[in-house]
Amino acid sequence: MEAVSYTAQWTAAARAVESERGDEAMFDDPFARELAAPRGFELLEKYGGGGLLPFIAIRTKYLDDSIEAILGDSGIRQIVFIAAGMDTRAFRLAWPPGVTVYEVDHEALVAEKRRRLAELGARPTTERREVAADLAGQWLPALYDAGFDRDQPTLWVAEGLMFFLTREQASGLLAVLGSASAAGSWLAVDFVSKALLRSPFSRAFLEGLREDGTPWLFGTDEPEEFLADTGWKVRELKEPGEPGAGQGRWPYEVQPRDRRGAPRSWLVRAEFAGR
């Protein structure tokens, strides 16, 4: 799990680049540039080929829209960001009244993010609670201690996380989320395909991650089946470049779903199917 906080720097750098596109930007994250320090832009330059920049922009916008849509449709008022990294949605989105946002990540990152945001004078736009916890261990007690109510429906957001885990770890994490989910809970998450992890197109990018000790480990070519096995029913599945997922901003052709072996990224909204 430590790899996730490391990559938080170049994810923030990518969000800064998108935010600075001006009127063409898909979103505005005014804190991203400062949160990308110390190595975010250096790493982004190293990894930035192969569609990484447009993918992070599209994923960010898709999850922004997913949060708005799910909260609007479901009335959920409890949101948990898993491995939140340098995410700033609690500061930059317009939240409905009564929303509480929980941000879960390891203690050192939580403290550093708090320090930087305080220096920037950032103020959350809804109730925000930090949860310092090791996701590789028993982390739910820390979430409960922060005030989380497992009897209330929850929106879980796991962004840029699953490919750093093994299949067993990813499945186990989703099962843990289910164990703390009341009826009516939702999940917003992204995956990559197995084919992407094997693609020559991705080789240089993936080798760079391995060299830096942050390899991508898990992909699935059948996200609906994988999520169903862990208690989640896919309600929306998109790929970058489709309508509602960066159409017009993705530099590659979206391949038909029945084309086997095509490298893919998945953007998903799923509903909890029950304990």
Side-chain angles (χ1 to χ4, degrees):
M1 294 286 186
E2 300 236 342
V4 181
S5 61
Y6 183 76
T7 61
Q9 294 177 47
W10 54 265
T11 301
R15 287 177 174 154
V17 171
E18 177 65 22
S19 298
E20 292 162 9
R21 288 172 60 96
D23 292 342
E24 296 180 355
M26 300 178 74
F27 56 87
D28 180 28
D29 187 341
F31 313 107
R33 177 163 288 274
E34 286 73 16
L35 295 179
R39 296 189 61 206
F41 290 96
E42 169 197 340
L43 292 167
L44 187 62
E45 183 175 354
K46 177 177 180 179
Y47 303 140
L52 180 63
L53 272 168
F55 172 68
I56 292 177
I58 290 167
R59 182 182 70 189
T60 300
K61 174 61 173 172
Y62 179 81
L63 293 177
D64 285 358
D65 291 346
S66 295
I67 291 166
E68 180 181 5
I70 291 169
L71 266 60
D73 292 342
S74 68
I76 289 174
R77 292 297 180 264
Q78 184 169 250
I79 295 85
V80 182
F81 290 92
I82 306 298
M86 292 299 182
D87 179 87
T88 64
R89 289 184 174 92
F91 296 83
R92 65 177 181 81
L93 294 186
W95 296 90
V99 168
T100 300
V101 169
Y102 298 87
E103 297 183 4
V104 183
D105 218 313
H106 65 84
E107 185 173 5
L109 186 144
V110 168
E112 177 63 14
K113 181 177 177 180
R114 182 193 312 127
R115 183 188 68 79
R116 293 191 197 183
L117 288 170
E119 288 183 351
L120 294 171
R123 296 289 183 268
T125 52
T126 192
E127 176 74 17
R128 173 180 175 266
R129 301 181 185 179
E130 299 171 344
V131 182
D134 180 1
L135 288 167
Q138 298 296 321
W139 57 273
L140 281 180
L143 182 61
Y144 297 142
D145 288 346
F148 176 85
D149 183 356
R150 71 191 301 268
D151 294 323
Q152 297 297 318
T154 302
L155 170 58
W156 306 93
V157 181
E159 180 179 16
L161 172 61
M162 293 299 173
F163 30 70
F164 288 104
L165 310 179
T166 65
R167 182 183 184 90
E168 293 73 21
Q169 287 171 332
S171 178
L173 176 61
L174 292 172
V176 169
L177 302 188
S179 75
S181 291
S185 292
W186 282 76
L187 170 71
V189 65
D190 65 296
F191 299 93
V192 296
S193 66
K194 283 184 180 179
L196 186 147
L197 298 180
R198 296 191 297 260
S199 172
F201 178 76
S202 308
R203 185 173 297 134
F205 168 66
L206 296 174
E207 286 179 356
L209 291 173
R210 280 193 293 271
E211 289 170 2
D212 285 337
T214 59
W216 284 12
L217 303 173
F218 169 60
T220 176
D221 294 327
E222 303 295 341
E224 298 98 333
E225 287 81 355
F226 175 73
L227 281 159
D229 288 343
T230 61
W232 297 91
K233 173 68 174 177
V234 171
R235 297 301 187 190
E236 181 175 278
L237 180 71
K238 299 274 191 182
E239 293 184 53
E242 292 186 323
Q247 186 179 35
R249 283 291 306 275
W250 186 238
Y252 310 107
E253 182 180 358
V254 180
Q255 299 298 316
R257 181 72 189 273
D258 59 2
R259 179 183 173 187
R260 307 294 295 181
R264 304 179 190 274
S265 298
W266 310 111
L267 300 169
V268 182
R269 300 176 190 173
E271 188 174 8
F272 183 51
R275 292 175 185 162

